[in-house]
Amino acid sequence: MTIRNWIKFFFNALLIGGIVTAVMGLIVRWEFFSQYLTNGEIWQFTGALLWMVFLGFTMSVVAQMGFFAYLTIHQFGVNMFKTLTLWNWVQLLIIAVVLFDLIFFRFRLTSGETGRTLLYLTLLVSLIGVSAITAYFKAKWTKKHTLISAFFFMIVVTTLEWLPALMVRSGNIDSWVTILLFPLLAVNAYQLLSLPKYNRQSDEDKAKQEERKKARKKVASASKAK
């Protein structure tokens, strides 16, 4: 990928993270934001909203680091297990382990917390649903064999990026766990689906650059001949 296209890729992902986090913050923590509007404290409201945007930028950077780390891990996995089929089975096993760990250890659900159980089940369904849809379109728009790898990335890598929030045990943790999941999902889905477009654009840009170099050489040769 060329530097110019990487910059576009980076800032688009950054923007998605900021917008999604701000929207989720307004929805999940509306009681917190509404008090500023009720009291006419517009600057305080704007400052709190900008802080959510900045948090979204941070989550976007985390997601981008995770994405490029996964590209390396994926290639390493294919080389290590020799065939893509075997690597896909390994990825499916890891997906199952990660989902098991989420449900039985990270969510820390108890029988007496019905509302909290419903919240975390909704988050789990969102994680799996968005991952499945993203993987489907990735396979449809590129190659069918990318389905498992895309599903693995969306489930496992997103969960790893989400893990710091899940490990916090104090404060208004349920709200932050909810808020932080969705920018990670949005940015990761964007990266997975849009990367081929930026790679193609980079190839086209490189080809045009080579054509311009050849044209300049021809002009220089013609000038010398005269």
Side-chain angles (χ1 to χ4, degrees):
M1 187 185 297
T2 61
I3 296 296
R4 184 177 68 176
N5 284 302
W6 178 81
I7 291 173
K8 289 180 183 178
F9 183 80
F10 174 81
F11 280 104
N12 284 340
L14 205 69
L15 188 62
I16 290 171
I19 291 173
V20 173
T21 305
V23 171
M24 290 304 303
L26 286 172
I27 294 172
V28 175
R29 305 202 67 196
W30 176 245
E31 292 182 1
F32 170 77
F33 284 97
S34 63
Q35 65 181 347
Y36 292 127
L37 294 177
T38 302
N39 297 329
E41 299 173 333
I42 303 301
W43 285 110
Q44 287 83 349
F45 172 83
T46 304
L49 188 61
L50 288 176
W51 187 87
M52 296 299 296
V53 172
F54 178 77
L55 178 62
F57 289 165
T58 304
M59 300 310 295
S60 175
V61 172
V62 170
Q64 292 185 62
M65 291 172 62
F67 180 60
F68 286 103
Y70 170 71
L71 294 178
T72 303
I73 293 170
H74 175 70
Q75 191 59 48
F76 176 79
V78 173
N79 294 335
M80 180 178 178
F81 293 100
K82 304 302 180 181
T83 65
L84 183 60
T85 301
L86 182 57
W87 171 231
N88 281 341
W89 280 108
V90 172
Q91 289 183 102
L92 287 173
L93 177 61
I94 297 173
I95 290 170
V97 171
V98 167
L99 291 177
F100 179 86
D101 178 75
L102 268 180
I103 297 168
F104 291 99
F105 297 104
R106 304 303 169 187
F107 287 172
R108 301 188 298 276
L109 302 177
T110 60
S111 58
E113 298 177 317
T114 305
R116 191 168 181 272
T117 300
L118 289 175
L119 170 64
Y120 278 83
L121 285 177
T122 301
L123 295 179
L124 181 65
V125 170
S126 299
L127 173 64
I128 296 173
V130 172
S131 300
I133 293 170
T134 303
Y136 168 78
F137 281 106
K138 178 66 174 180
K140 183 178 180 180
W141 294 344
T142 54
K143 298 177 181 179
K144 291 182 179 180
H145 66 74
T146 61
L147 180 68
I148 301 300
S149 296
F151 193 59
F152 174 89
F153 168 73
M154 290 299 298
I155 293 286
V156 176
V157 177
T158 300
T159 300
L160 290 174
E161 295 162 352
W162 192 30
L163 200 57
L166 291 169
M167 293 176 67
V168 176
R169 297 178 180 271
S170 61
N172 194 15
I173 184 57
D174 293 341
S175 295
W176 291 111
V177 165
T178 303
I179 291 169
L180 296 181
L181 171 63
F182 291 94
L184 291 173
L185 284 173
V187 173
N188 282 337
Y190 166 77
Q191 292 182 115
L192 201 61
L193 296 176
S194 66
L195 182 63
K197 180 188 76 172
Y198 285 99
N199 285 335
R200 286 194 300 270
Q201 185 63 52
S202 296
D203 291 338
E204 292 174 2
D205 291 344
K206 289 176 183 177
K208 290 178 181 177
Q209 188 177 14
E210 288 298 323
E211 289 177 1
R212 287 194 295 268
K213 286 182 179 179
K214 290 179 181 179
R216 286 196 296 267
K217 286 181 179 179
K218 288 182 179 179
V219 172
S221 299
S223 300
K224 290 179 180 179
K226 291 180 180 179

